[in-house]
Amino acid sequence: MGIPSLTTLLTNSSLARSEKKAKVVVDGNGFLHFILRSDIVCKFGSNYTALERALSSKITLLTNASLSLYFVFDGPLPEWKFNQRISRENQKIAKIAVAIEGLVGRNQKYNGESNVEKSHFSTEIAGLLWPMALSCAIRTISNLNIPVFLAKDEADSTIARIARKLNCSVMGNDSDFFIHNIPEGYIPLDSIEFDQELRYAVYYAEEVANYFGISTSLLPVLAALCGCDYVENSRALIQRFLKTFLKLKKSHGDIIRPIAVKLREFNSVEPPIVVEELCSLAPPTDREELHHLLNFVLFQYGSDISCDLSSEIFENLLDRKLCEISQGVFWCSSSLEDLERVPASVWNISTTIRLNLYSFLNVKDGLVTEYIRRAHYVIEQKSVVLRNVGQELFPDVDISNMDALPQDIREMLYCKLFDTDSKAPLVCNELRESDTPSTLPLVVSLRYLIAETCRKGQRLANFEVYALIAAGIRSIYFNEQATTFSVSITRRMIYIASQLDNVLSCMLLFVSALKLSHNPFWKLEDSAEGHPLTHRQENVINESWIISPRAHWSCFSGPILHYCLAMAKGGASPQSLLGETEPATSSKSLRVFETLLYIVMEGNSESIEHVIDYNNNATIPKKPKNNKIRKNSRIAKTVGNPIAKVTPPSNVFDLLSSDCSF
């Protein structure tokens, strides 16, 4: 966020330069939010394949303009920013409430075309970061052979230091970069025009300082007094100082210039002395705290280029959430969900997965603080780790050294963590050898989702299971743009989609914890050729393994999922759900569908509601043949065997037939 109102003030000035740059350090989180806000319709929630396409397209345009790019993403959130994070999460929850009312309250269809309604509610939702968006972005960017780094803290200061040492500009959407001393200038993402010829504005800290009539060294002090993020937890202190001694009573939008005028008398004074003199003006009870605060801000905006940057970034791209868990913290980020229908957070569906993860990682002191939504606010709750689930599942295997475990053992551990009583692990080798190797995360997540929703008394209907499988197949294999669907969004559809997205994101954490896929590895190091820094790719991503990170988000597309849920509720056949009209292609995709359906439903017949009879594609409601449907379940359209009569592929179905209940 940076300094309130500063971006508006400076972009309306004449400071912007139109220049061409050669090297740019990109604020990864800022770039990701920029893409989600400007390139993707967020009305249906997460759409990871669209994110991959948008990232690849924009980055290609930048590199085609002869820009060398270096991406830096935020690391674990520092503790001093926790209150700010909670405040922003609460703001997001309020936006979700507005968005949901707009999406379903008017019960209007959305056909993928630009209109006022779409624009408004997409804006409300676009501030959300999808559960797997960061992992998806990092993998996508690294696959484009662009260096990617993960800071050990908030990335702003690290980005500025890398830029100074590499003689690069900085590209981002944070007004803090107007303040940082970046000799090659700051490029706001909103200033970029992605036309035939790439154009963008460049701002320099020296010219920003001249604009306000102060020395460059005073810019950090100006930022602190104007309410930058670094003083988030001390705003009352800053307000007292401004009100009492600078005689400023107006809001942030009006105080930047007056503060700058007051600071001009310190233009010839070194920043440490400025801090001392300002603190002497404060009440005695505030001086020590103000002194510490202003020095902290000076350090964050500091321009020391002799620092060891390798100490500020992780040696390889670990999952940010795993880093936070190791510090005893887990942020249950806000997501698109129906706040009124489910007062408890959608993260409740993955509680079992998270507790297993904490146990598996041997969290320090056996305690993790979760920040999770309750009703319309984020609260803090403690999760106690009581057992080592990994050792319980494999008592004869030493799981302390994950690198030494064979791949098949790790794959089986992944499956058993979510589906301990099923035969799902036995399917690993079959899926690896079949033409559907990337479907295992979808299969395991659906089995988990069916079991958990049943346990919570919120069972899925069989047509919803059909829709989830069909949507996953279409997302993985058909690579659809998904912009021409006409769907009336319902609260139930939003609820189911957010649950599946959440479960997949938590399962993705286990891929990193189990080291089931190599992480991209970019290293900062000294160069014998005289360049300050260079990059070396240590490991490339191996997507050939059955449980690749990409397999978790490639099976989820919000637009396709909503479309399939709407179609399935109306009694659409599997062929229609798959979007197939030609018999030749239908037989291939339907075979995949039947395989996954059988594996997902094995042993789960009593855990779902049987609403539609897919044996005869009947659509006329009739009385259920069994009385196991809950009293408060929806009226059945038709009832019967939940699995179509198909001839299963022997290599998978024979494997499971001994305990088949159908």
Side-chain angles (χ1 to χ4, degrees), residues 99-169:
I100 294 296
E101 181 60 28
L103 290 173
V104 303
R106 302 177 185 181
N107 196 28
Q108 294 191 12
K109 292 185 177 181
Y110 166 64
N111 59 14
E113 299 175 359
S114 298
N115 54 56
V116 174
E117 183 193 4
K118 182 224 73 172
S119 176
H120 173 68
F121 294 111
S122 290
T123 300
E124 293 295 337
I125 302 168
L128 302 179
L129 198 60
W130 305 335
M132 294 179 280
L134 272 174
S135 297
C136 175
I138 288 173
R139 293 272 166 172
T140 301
I141 295 168
S142 191
N143 280 343
L144 294 171
N145 205 32
I146 303 293
V148 185
F149 305 101
L150 184 68
K152 289 187 177 179
D153 204 323
E154 189 183 44
D156 288 3
S157 298
T158 301
I159 289 170
R161 292 187 179 103
I162 292 176
R164 286 192 289 270
K165 205 156 190 178
L166 278 172
N167 295 318
C168 291
S169 302

Side-chain angles (χ1 to χ4, degrees), residues 18 65 128 164 166 178 188 225 249 263 266 270 324 341 364 373 413 419 465 526 533 625 628:
S18 180
L128 302 179
R164 286 192 289 270
L166 278 172
F178 287 115
L225 297 181
K249 301 179 181 180
L263 289 176
F266 300 102
E270 292 296 316
E324 291 178 334
R341 178 188 178 101
K364 184 179 179 181
R373 180 185 68 80
L413 182 57
D419 203 3
V465 175
D526 293 325
L533 294 171
K625 291 183 180 179
K628 294 184 179 180

Side-chain angles (χ1 to χ4, degrees), residues 10-34:
L10 294 179
T11 52
N12 289 333
S13 70
S14 59
L15 294 181
R17 290 193 188 184
S18 180
E19 300 178 342
K20 298 296 181 184
K21 296 296 182 180
K23 297 186 297 183
V24 175
V25 181
V26 183
D27 176 0
N29 293 75
F31 192 82
L32 176 55
H33 280 286
F34 171 73

Side-chain angles (χ1 to χ4, degrees), residues 427-437 546 651-652:
V427 182
C428 285
N429 289 334
E430 297 295 330
L431 287 175
R432 183 195 294 277
E433 296 171 2
S434 72
D435 58 354
T436 60
I546 189 171
N651 62 332
V652 176

